Amino acid sequence: MASDASSVLENVLTGMAGLFGVDGAALMLLDAQDRLRAIGATDDDGVLLESAQEYVGDGPAIASAASGGLVAIQDLHADRPLGFPHVAVHALPVRAVLSVPLVEGGELIGVLDFYARAGHVWDRTEVEAGYRLGELMVIVLQVLAENRTDRAPSGQL
């Protein structure tokens, strides 16, 4: 089932990136210690972005999780507070990032990142689309969790 869930998440992320018209999408979820962990991405650039944020302990996804709000970065390579150059050096060639907090039942569960390889100003309609796709990702994660629970042997997840 784990590989099935990974495949579903990869397909959903790829579909969301295509629908949104960006170069890629990536997902980080909170672990048992409330740290964001990379779960999946549409490509190697997304994996680098999420891994860099985990490694550095900072970045748009981590800022989004900390604030509970959306973080829109036009150029990751820009000086702080407009960018995260210490993340960018590990996440080439990602330039622009839109980090959307994922909330289930009032609790933060993770962050969905959309990214572009060129600098990009995220407009109001893109921000709204990001929030809507984040809501959809929460539903996908709920269904995957329910399917995992339904198929687990008695007393096991």
Side-chain angles (χ1 to χ4, degrees), residues 12-36:
V12 169
L13 288 169
T14 300
M16 286 183 172
L19 182 64
F20 203 174
V22 294
D23 292 321
L27 176 66
M28 297 184 87
L29 295 178
L30 289 175
D31 66 11
Q33 289 77 39
D34 288 333
R35 291 182 301 221
L36 284 175

Side-chain angles (χ1 to χ4, degrees), residues 59-124:
I62 292 171
S64 176
S67 71
L70 185 134
V71 173
I73 301 298
Q74 178 179 346
D75 185 355
L76 199 61
H77 299 260
D79 289 335
R80 292 289 302 235
L82 301 176
F84 292 88
H86 52 294
V87 173
V89 298
H90 302 286
L92 297 172
V94 173
R95 298 297 287 204
V97 181
L98 183 71
S99 295
V100 181
L102 302 178
V103 178
E104 178 182 25
E107 296 290 322
L108 179 79
I109 61 168
V111 176
L112 177 61
D113 283 335
F114 295 101
Y115 55 90
R117 292 181 184 95
H120 182 78
V121 176
W122 304 97
D123 66 30
R124 189 175 48 83

